């Protein structure tokens, strides 16, 4: 069991959804965001911090033996916005980690690292990246940074390429990419419990019949997703039309991120 888990991006969608499900993972939980946290739970310690502030990040990480790193720009944007939170912020986090005793990190990477692959292709741990925008490129950077800090300094990271972590799938594409919050919690438990983690790439999806990703290379984690998006298919079929054959949401694994315009200043 961890002594103190730091959760960055704690005020965001995933942080808000997961935090109530995580008190058992550590003796103490430190939550942080640059946005105000209005729903801090009794067992949580709130330490506001902008990840672009290197000195503040060092103090934030100090005393933590685990980090659930959710903080960052989570959608496509201008390069300047993406760079600040997802590149500078990552470097600050890993510099802090190596100077404060190598906490184990679960990094919220994204399926947009591989978003330009067609949905007909099955990917595994050896598939090269194929990012679908500045955001996807920034997540590839994060994975590369984690790999370098593991090889050079021994900082262990689970690079989780999250598909779509939502209470339920919101469209037909998400029948393939859905990660249930409960399966995410099961993975968090394994990442912080397994004796040796290393620095694996993990595809973050539930046991969906419609899934595209093969996680057999990380069987050693003992993570067994329990949920399957198929139970939502009839509800989705009734709620919306099937997209046509040329729609980016049926062509690319990253869906509309692949067809999005580049955000210029
Ligand atoms: P979100 O946008 O709701 O939350 C991200 C949080 O990070 C926000 O509260 C924001 O204030 C904070 N943040 C951004 N820049 C920061 C900075 N410089 N310093 C401190 N805090 C900063 O995103 P969501 O959905 O909660 O996602 C969390 C993480 O998981 C993100 O890194 C996202 O890229 C990743 N992810 C999420 C997926 C999903 O299905 N929700 C899918 C794939 C990846
Ligand atoms: C992501 O990386 C985004 O952060 C999230 O908001 C979802 O859109 C998700 O990917 C997705 O591809 O569904």
């Amino acid at each position: 069991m961890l002594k103190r888990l730091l959760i960055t991006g704690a005020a965001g969608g995933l942080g808000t959804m997961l935090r109530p499900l995580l008190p058992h993972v550590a003796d103490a939980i430190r939550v942080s965001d640059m946005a105000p946290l209005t729903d801090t739970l009794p067992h949580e310690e709130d330490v506001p911090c902008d990840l672009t502030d290197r000195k503040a990040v060092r103090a934030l990480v100090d005393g933590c033996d685990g980090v659930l790193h959710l903080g960052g720009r989570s959608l496509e944007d201008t390069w300047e916005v993406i760079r600040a939170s997802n590149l500078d912020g990552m470097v600050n986090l890993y510099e802090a980690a190596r100077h404060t005793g190598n906490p184990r990190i679960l990094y919220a990477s994204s399926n947009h690292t591989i978003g330009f692959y067609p949905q007909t292709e099955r990917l595994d741990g050896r598939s090269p990246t194929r990012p679908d925008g500045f955001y996807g490129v920034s997540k590839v950077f994060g994975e590369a940074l984690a790999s370098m800090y593991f090889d050079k300094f021994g900082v262990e990271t689970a690079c989780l390429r999250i598909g779509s972590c939502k209470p339920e799938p919101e469209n037909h594409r998400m029948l393939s990419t859905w990660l249930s919050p409960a399966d995410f919690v099961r993975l968090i438990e394994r990442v912080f419990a397994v004796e040796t983690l290393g620095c694996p790439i993990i595809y973050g999806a539930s046991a969906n019949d419609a899934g595209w990703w093969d996680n057999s290379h990380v069987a050693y984690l003992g993570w067994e997703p329990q949920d399957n998006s198929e139970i939502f298919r009839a509800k989705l079929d009734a709620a919306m039309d099937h997209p046509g054959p040329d729609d980016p949401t049926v062509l690319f694994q990253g869906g509309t991120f692949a067809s999005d315009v580049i955000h210029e200043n």
Side-chain angles (χ1 to χ4, degrees):
M1 175 129 153
L2 293 171
K3 290 195 174 59
R4 182 177 285 110
L5 173 69
L6 166 65
I7 305 178
T8 68
L14 274 186
T16 303
M17 193 162 60
L18 295 176
R19 279 166 38 226
L21 309 176
L22 294 176
H24 62 290
V25 172
D27 292 335
I29 300 205
R30 180 176 293 173
V31 291
S32 183
D33 205 296
M34 67 179 183
L37 264 159
T38 52
D39 58 349
T40 315
L41 300 163
H43 64 279
E44 293 177 334
E45 171 203 12
D46 182 10
V47 181
C49 177
D50 187 327
L51 293 163
T52 63
D53 180 341
R54 182 166 296 189
K55 214 168 141 202
V57 174
R58 176 89 167 255
L60 177 70
V61 175
D62 199 17
C64 299
D65 53 347
V67 182
L68 175 57
H69 183 47
L70 304 174
R73 182 62 189 149
S74 63
L75 296 169
E76 190 62 355
D77 211 319
T78 62
W79 179 244
E80 284 69 23
V81 169
I82 300 268
R83 185 179 60 203
S85 292
N86 295 9
L87 277 71
D88 298 344
M90 279 292 281
V91 170
N92 291 344
L93 178 73
Y94 277 81
E95 275 297 283
R98 80 173 172 103
H99 286 296
T100 59
N102 286 8
R104 186 175 281 188
I105 298 175
L106 194 163
Y107 165 48
S109 184
S110 171
N111 71 88
H112 297 290
T113 53
I114 47 84
F116 249 119
Y117 277 100
Q119 293 185 7
T120 47
E121 204 153 329
R122 297 288 168 267
L123 305 183
D124 64 23
R126 288 186 307 270
S127 306
T129 56
R130 226 172 146 181
D132 55 21
F134 286 154
Y135 169 64
V137 168
S138 78
K139 292 295 186 179
V140 173
F141 171 86
E143 293 179 356
L145 193 79
S147 170
M148 186 272 278
Y149 273 80
F150 174 61
D151 286 334
K152 214 179 257 289
F153 303 111
V155 179
E156 292 186 301
T157 301
C159 293
L160 180 65
R161 291 180 178 168
I162 304 170
S164 310
C165 187
K166 317 271 172 186
E168 45 185 86
E170 294 168 358
N171 54 46
H172 287 88
R173 169 180 164 271
M174 288 190 195
L175 291 171
S176 302
T177 59
W178 185 57
L179 173 64
S180 73
D183 279 338
F184 196 166
V185 171
R186 289 181 190 104
L187 177 64
I188 292 167
E189 289 167 354
R190 293 308 308 150
V191 162
F192 292 114
V194 71
E195 186 150 342
T196 303
L197 174 66
C199 190
I201 299 287
I202 306 165
Y203 290 98
S206 285
N208 304 323
D209 287 357
W212 302 316
W213 305 317
D214 176 0
N215 267 330
S216 52
H217 61 291
V218 285
Y220 70 94
L221 295 175
W223 178 45
E224 288 175 10
Q226 304 292 311
D227 296 317
N228 187 334
S229 62
E230 213 52 34
I231 58 167
F232 299 106
R233 186 180 288 278
K235 187 175 168 188
L236 276 175
D237 284 346
M240 62 188 73
D241 291 335
H242 268 273
D246 296 331
D247 193 295
T249 65
V250 300
L251 289 176
F252 303 109
Q253 298 199 2
T256 53
F257 282 62
S259 58
D260 266 357
V261 294
I262 285 290
H263 291 230
E264 297 178 62
N265 282 324

